[in-house]
Amino acid sequence: MTPGTNIVYLCANPGLDLDKMLGPKVHIQAILRGLKSAGVNPTLIAVQNTKSLKEYEEFETVILPHHYLRGFVHRFIPYTGIVDSLRIFLKIIALNRTKHFTLIHERYTGLSWGGVLAAKFLRIPLVLQMVGPGIEEKTLQLNPLKPSRRWLALLNQKYLFSNCDHLILVSKQIASFIYQKRGWILPKHSVILFGPDLLDPLSEAKKTTIRRQIGAEDRPLFIYSGSLYRWYGTLDLVKAFHLALQKRPDLKLIIVGSGDEENTIREYIQKKSLTDSVLLIGVVPHAELLKIIQAVDYCLVFYPGEPTYFGSSIKVIEYMAAGKPVISTPQMIEIIEDGVTGFMSKTASPEDFAAKIEEVVSKPDLARTVGENARNLISSHYTWNHYIEKLIKIYKATLNQT
């Protein structure tokens, strides 16, 4: 792969708001920035519900505005996805006249096949990146696909798998939980965990200022950041913290994020008189969030139910990179070793999670050591630089094989 190589980075899902959704925005911008630093020229092609993106000025972007096509038939045949796929195909072909793309890297979406058709037409490789299972994910999110759409989604995904040159997964759990259960043979694939940037330490004065603003100068301070959706079980996290407060009333939790369960959580906090101990601050800019993380003592990660496809997440790795002890439900098995690089409760029940919070707070020396271990692990294996190095190797190997 020579310097100056042009590639497509494709995001074909109009539901993936690249301005508002913090996790995807962090992932995508870090990948694009890292590729540019490595001498690769990515063109971001994205289907969006808007005509432009606000925070992507440093990248070459092509936005295809999504227009929802209404009608009864749409319940059975996703013709909006078909139209978007055709537009993607035609746009890549048109851009290739001057760009001469050597590879298409697609961040997978459920019913898009414009990228794979363009790759076939141009005779260039397709690298498919999957951050979730795509189909079973809908059921976990309490929004299962209807049978006809599920059948089409499975058909589309199998077609993509059969025609991609390399599959990138963000978790081994995705393969073991989803694809092995379907009985599918996976294409050549790699697992690359998302990484953080290592930050310069925040001064003690700035930490003190942040803690004073939160009202937790002399209290053990926890943070949870992420989407407050029902399927994340965030209300159970608050219930668990409430249980821990009964034995340790000096604890304080700050919750950063928003979602459809936010009002329910606020009502619970009011009803249980927790306003002095649990603080919701909504969404904050990513740079500000990273400062808050550095100022807290402990970080919480909560997913409901049994371990599924969640083997790691960007927020967990950001917590660990900051040297913070992470307390998680059992899902983070690919990145956390209990008592060594983090802490995991036995189950995702509020009772077990509360017990783990109480245990960790009672062992501050161990918590400090675990936080240091976590930072060392991330800095040596899982930064964005490590991610981009692995990604470039995949590109080179794929190009050499085609």
Side-chain angles (χ1 to χ4, degrees), residues 377-395:
L377 174 66
I378 300 304
S379 64
S380 59
H381 293 91
Y382 297 113
T383 66
W384 279 118
N385 286 338
H386 291 107
Y387 185 96
I388 295 300
E389 287 176 6
K390 294 172 185 175
L391 187 58
I392 294 295
K393 287 181 180 178
I394 289 171
Y395 288 175

Side-chain angles (χ1 to χ4, degrees), residues 334-350:
E334 287 184 50
I335 193 67
I336 290 178
E337 182 179 355
D338 188 31
V340 180
T341 55
F343 300 95
M344 286 194 294
S345 58
K346 292 180 180 179
T347 71
S349 72

Side-chain angles (χ1 to χ4, degrees), residues 15-73:
L16 190 69
D17 191 317
L18 301 188
D19 272 327
K20 294 181 180 179
M21 298 178 72
L22 180 59
K25 179 163 69 173
V26 171
H27 305 163
I28 292 166
Q29 290 187 351
I31 291 170
L32 296 176
R33 197 172 290 121
L35 288 174
K36 286 180 65 177
S37 297
V40 177
N41 299 325
T43 297
L44 171 64
I45 299 178
V47 179
Q48 294 285 279
N49 289 312
T50 57
K51 295 182 179 180
S52 62
L53 293 174
K54 298 176 182 177
E55 299 183 39
Y56 292 78
E57 292 84 359
E58 64 185 288
F59 311 114
E60 184 167 356
T61 60
V62 177
I63 306 303
L64 300 177
H66 172 72
H67 301 293
Y68 182 73
L69 302 179
R70 298 185 180 277
F72 179 77
V73 180

Side-chain angles (χ1 to χ4, degrees), residues 245-261:
L245 284 167
Q246 294 174 15
K247 293 185 179 180
R248 288 293 304 265
D250 58 329
L251 306 182
K252 184 150 189 172
L253 169 63
I254 179 173
I255 299 177
V256 182
S258 65
D260 61 14
E261 201 164 43

Side-chain angles (χ1 to χ4, degrees), residues 318-337:
E318 286 183 338
Y319 293 160
M320 296 171 72
K324 302 300 176 180
V326 177
I327 304 171
S328 173
T329 45
Q331 282 81 358
M332 295 294 108
I333 56 177
E334 287 184 50
I335 193 67
I336 290 178
E337 182 179 355

Side-chain angles (χ1 to χ4, degrees), residues 1 8 96 122 168 192 204 247 298:
M1 179 172 255
V8 173
N96 186 67
L122 297 174
I168 299 175
I192 316 178
E204 291 302 318
K247 293 185 179 180
Y298 307 93

Side-chain angles (χ1 to χ4, degrees), residues 163-180:
N163 289 277
C164 77
D165 296 277
H166 201 100
L167 175 65
I168 299 175
L169 304 173
V170 297
S171 167
K172 294 176 184 177
Q173 294 292 94
I174 297 176
S176 61
F177 176 71
I178 303 298
Y179 304 117
Q180 289 181 9

